[in-house]
Amino acid sequence: IMIGGKLEEIINCYEDIRERYPNYLSEIGCISITNSQEKFNNYISKIFDYTKVFKGDMVYNFIEDLNITVCPYCNRNYINVVKKGKRKRRPDLDHFIPKRKYPLFSLSISNLVPSCSYCNGFKSDILFTLDKNIYPFNEGIDDIEYFDYTYKNTLNDISVVLKNNNDK
């Protein structure tokens, strides 16, 4: 149940499990975790080992099937899969919810966002949330910010402004 489904559903499932086992699972966004929560995370990290599951052509096929060609975070770097003979290159896969802090999310397909190396490295283990950050599979920057202009009588009277639709 932790692998499939929409990210919102998986987060809700995690919260249900956490309510039953608060000694083992920390609240999403909690800064400090207990020793038993850290031990549990270490065990789960070994079971849900992202690097053992996503290897070989599987990860390349997954990224190609998503058909995302530009980094959804910065919208400027290409993230195409390139195969030339035996040489292959692919974009990074960012864990929207960090796998190190929440290993139960590490193999959730809806938690894996193809991204450029710069954005993935910059984001690192920062916890993104659905209410404060843009989740690329639900919305894009054009849903949040856009350019608008006013035009008066001449070309010298054009004003261009960046407008924001919400707080993300």
Side-chain angles (χ1 to χ4, degrees), residues 19 24-25 27 29-30 46 48 61 63 70 75 82 86 88 97 104 124 134 138 143 151 163:
E19 285 179 18
Y24 298 106
L25 297 174
E27 280 186 60
C30 183
K46 292 174 185 169
F48 287 80
N61 295 338
I63 294 169
V70 177
N75 199 33
V82 177
K86 291 185 177 186
K88 298 180 193 176
I97 297 175
L104 282 173
S124 187
I134 296 173
N138 287 350
D143 298 321
Y151 171 76
K163 292 195 174 182

Side-chain angles (χ1 to χ4, degrees), residues 63-77:
I63 294 169
E64 283 179 319
D65 288 345
L66 288 174
N67 200 28
I68 299 172
T69 58
V70 177
C71 178
Y73 292 131
C74 68
N75 199 33
R76 72 172 194 210
N77 290 321

Side-chain angles (χ1 to χ4, degrees), residues 19-61:
E19 285 179 18
R20 288 186 218 148
Y21 304 101
N23 292 340
Y24 298 106
L25 297 174
S26 61
E27 280 186 60
I28 294 179
C30 183
I31 294 172
S32 62
I33 62 173
T34 65
N35 286 338
S36 58
Q37 290 169 341
E38 188 170 346
K39 280 183 183 178
F40 183 75
N41 275 355
N42 289 334
Y43 290 128
I44 293 299
S45 293
K46 292 174 185 169
I47 295 168
F48 287 80
D49 189 348
Y50 163 83
T51 58
K52 289 182 181 173
V53 173
F54 277 100
K55 59 183 177 181
D57 285 339
M58 178 188 223
V59 70
Y60 289 90
N61 295 338

Side-chain angles (χ1 to χ4, degrees), residues 1-5 7 10 44-55 58 62 93 95 97-99 102-112:
I1 194 162
M2 294 306 287
I3 302 290
L7 191 58
I10 294 168
I44 293 299
S45 293
K46 292 174 185 169
I47 295 168
F48 287 80
D49 189 348
Y50 163 83
T51 58
K52 289 182 181 173
V53 173
F54 277 100
K55 59 183 177 181
M58 178 188 223
F62 169 70
L93 282 173
H95 289 78
I97 297 175
K99 70 178 184 244
Y102 306 98
L104 282 173
F105 291 96
S106 65
L107 293 178
S108 170
I109 290 172
S110 56
N111 191 40
L112 299 173

Side-chain angles (χ1 to χ4, degrees), residues 81-123:
V81 169
V82 177
K83 296 178 185 175
K84 197 168 190 170
K86 291 185 177 186
R87 296 178 67 194
K88 298 180 193 176
R89 193 81 177 124
R90 67 171 177 84
D92 288 353
L93 282 173
D94 174 56
H95 289 78
F96 191 79
I97 297 175
K99 70 178 184 244
R100 188 175 305 151
K101 294 178 184 176
Y102 306 98
L104 282 173
F105 291 96
S106 65
L107 293 178
S108 170
I109 290 172
S110 56
N111 191 40
L112 299 173
V113 179
S115 63
C116 69
S117 300
Y118 180 80
C119 287
N120 189 31
F122 183 75
K123 180 185 169 287

